[in-house]
Amino acid sequence: MKMTVRPNSTDRVTDVRDGVHELSFFRSENRINRAALHLKGISTIDHLVLELRKPGARSYLDILRMARIPLTQWQARAQWNGKRYTRTCIAQNREFELLLIAYEPGQRTSIHDYDSTHAWVHPLMGELTEERYELAAEGHPVLTSSVVLHPDSFSYLTRSHSIHRYVNTGEGRALSLNLYSAPLRQWKVYDERGGMRQERVI
Amino acid sequence: MTGTFSATDLARISHIMFRSAAEGLVVVDAEGRMRLCNPRLADLFGYKEEELLGQPIEMLLPEGTRHRHTNDRAQYHQHPQQRPMGAGLDLQGRRRNGMTFPLEVSLNHFEVDGIRYVMALVTDISKRRMAELELQQTNVELEHRVERRTAELRKAEMTVREALEKERELNALKSRFISLVSHEFRTPLSAILSSVDLIARYSEGSENVLRHVNKVRTKVRELTTMLNEFLSLERLEQGDLVCEPSRFDVVHLGIELIEELRGIAKAGQDLHFEHLGEEREVMLDRRMVAGIMTNLTSNAIKYSPEGHDVDLRTHHLGDRLRIQVIDHGMGIPEADQQHLFERFYRAHNALTIQGTGLGLNIVKRYVDLMQGSIHFTSKEGLGTTFTVELPLGAGTPDTSS
């Protein structure tokens, strides 16, 4: 694991493992390891939310990593729908938004991106495939990578170059925990079939 | 006024006036005998003047009133006073031929050489009375006519009420039928959609299969939308739909909706959602807000050609939520714009595109139920922007904690 920590900064740190990108975002100058020591006891969703809401010391990624919450707790909060994947808001304030995304087999998000500066996606159960896209010259999205998320991974997405989609490629249900900072305010759905884009006249 | 005339002239003029007066004039003495009368009076009663002079005045009255008149006259002579014409009395005269007629009398008294006389001015009011009677009759007739018309109107009202009641029953029956059919259709449609999804999953990426699967999906969605519109309209018509505000996050709703609507987006058509304003939570009827957003956005998609994006925007303005849906599609012809919210109305340039003409009517009703406003700007060939503003309930929470 290659990691660079810069005190007094809010820079991101990249961890490339099995094709999954991880970045941590520091909310203060405190070092990650010291902060992590106090979080080993996060075993409930409420405690996790409490830690996320605490101003200061730790990065969101560190807090997420330290959580050891039984799957049954998440499953109890998840909502499943045979017609579409669902989004359940676990917690939200002006700094972050924590969502639980539930997929029945075969369900997928749109190819989309959003405005949040940072987002982490952590698979809680099932087989979740992350597809990343780039825009072709004609303006339609082109698949650039497709990776099954490792159960321990925290996939990182940032505002730029983050057109993506999640697909439940497994036989059973899939569940992911998504943390956005700042909370979502924009969401753009791309047409996956391609086709000519028109110049927008406003 | 006698200053102009000499006493002789004045006597002559008075005599002429007396003789030519259009009203009857009679002078009666204390015994009730007529001492003087003009031609008009004699004419009124069908006598010659000389036949009346020296006769009791009662001869000009109907027999039944003569006795009472004698007493009245005696009393009047004892306490004479001026009495204006009519003065509340219903008087009758009697002609020579025995016919009676209504008259009005004004009385005055004077003395000549210490002898008191009473002068009566007599007016035949037969014509006026006749006119009054005719007026009364007309009034009575009018009243009867009004009563008849009222009765007719009541009858017509009853008929209309009955017809309305029948129509209501028919409508209720129709609504129940539509409701039943819509519900019954939705289950198999849902099953079709699920099966189609499974076919797509097991097709191993076969383009042909996926193309047909997508076609089926699109058609099933169109049918589901139509059924949903019929069901919504039925609930609105029945008055079943009431505003039930709850607190919800408008961003989550917006994202959820455009994620769902991507299924009907056209090739090359991207959908954007954007929220403005510090707050995200609102206190509104979530189903209705979702209905408004879905209807307007799906219309924007439907009436835009391939490759033209659609924007859904929400703006928390503190006291109200603004929803805007912007497309760059075919626009609405000016002539159609005033009718756009009418039930089943479809713009002329959209007649070949599938639709019920109910969507905007339902949107308008939702907006009205939430006491909001809706308006749009549109240019044919350039696009349309719909703007909805909904007043927010008090106490939108602070989400910063």
Side-chain angles (χ1 to χ4, degrees), chain B residues 215-339:
Chain B
K215 208 170 178 180
V216 174
R217 275 183 185 145
T218 307
K219 294 297 165 195
V220 168
R221 279 198 191 100
E222 281 176 9
L223 208 51
T224 309
T225 304
M226 279 171 68
L227 293 174
N228 285 342
E229 283 178 356
F230 279 123
L231 276 172
S232 300
L233 186 72
E234 186 250 331
R235 280 198 287 267
L236 283 162
E237 299 270 298
Q238 296 295 311
D240 290 345
L241 225 53
V242 288
C243 197
E244 289 172 355
S246 63
R247 194 149 290 166
F248 65 91
D249 186 317
V250 78
V251 175
H252 291 154
L253 178 65
I255 293 171
E256 190 181 298
L257 291 182
I258 64 162
E259 280 289 279
E260 204 174 323
L261 290 170
R262 71 187 148 114
I264 61 165
K266 295 190 176 121
Q269 194 174 50
D270 298 339
L271 309 179
H272 306 249
F273 169 76
E274 184 179 10
H275 178 74
L276 300 168
E278 283 294 301
E279 299 296 339
R280 298 159 51 125
E281 289 201 353
V282 292
M283 186 79 177
L284 287 166
D285 188 307
R286 193 180 188 278
R287 272 184 319 158
M288 288 188 198
V289 174
I292 290 168
M293 285 182 173
T294 304
N295 256 304
L296 294 179
T297 312
S298 58
N299 273 355
I301 292 168
K302 195 158 62 176
Y303 300 120
S304 296
E306 291 185 0
H308 288 68
D309 296 354
V310 168
D311 285 88
L312 168 63
R313 290 180 191 162
T314 53
H315 193 168
H316 198 303
L317 293 157
D319 60 341
R320 63 197 190 280
L321 175 71
R322 179 182 293 158
I323 301 166
Q324 275 193 313
V325 178
I326 303 157
D327 71 54
H328 310 280
M330 61 169 61
I332 303 154
E334 218 171 309
D336 292 313
Q337 292 188 3
Q338 59 177 321
H339 303 290

Side-chain angles (χ1 to χ4, degrees), chain B residues 185-202:
Chain B
F185 277 23
R186 286 214 293 193
T187 312
L189 281 173
S190 173
I192 290 169
L193 213 53
S194 299
S195 298
V196 161
D197 285 341
L198 284 174
I199 290 169
R201 215 174 139 208
Y202 296 124

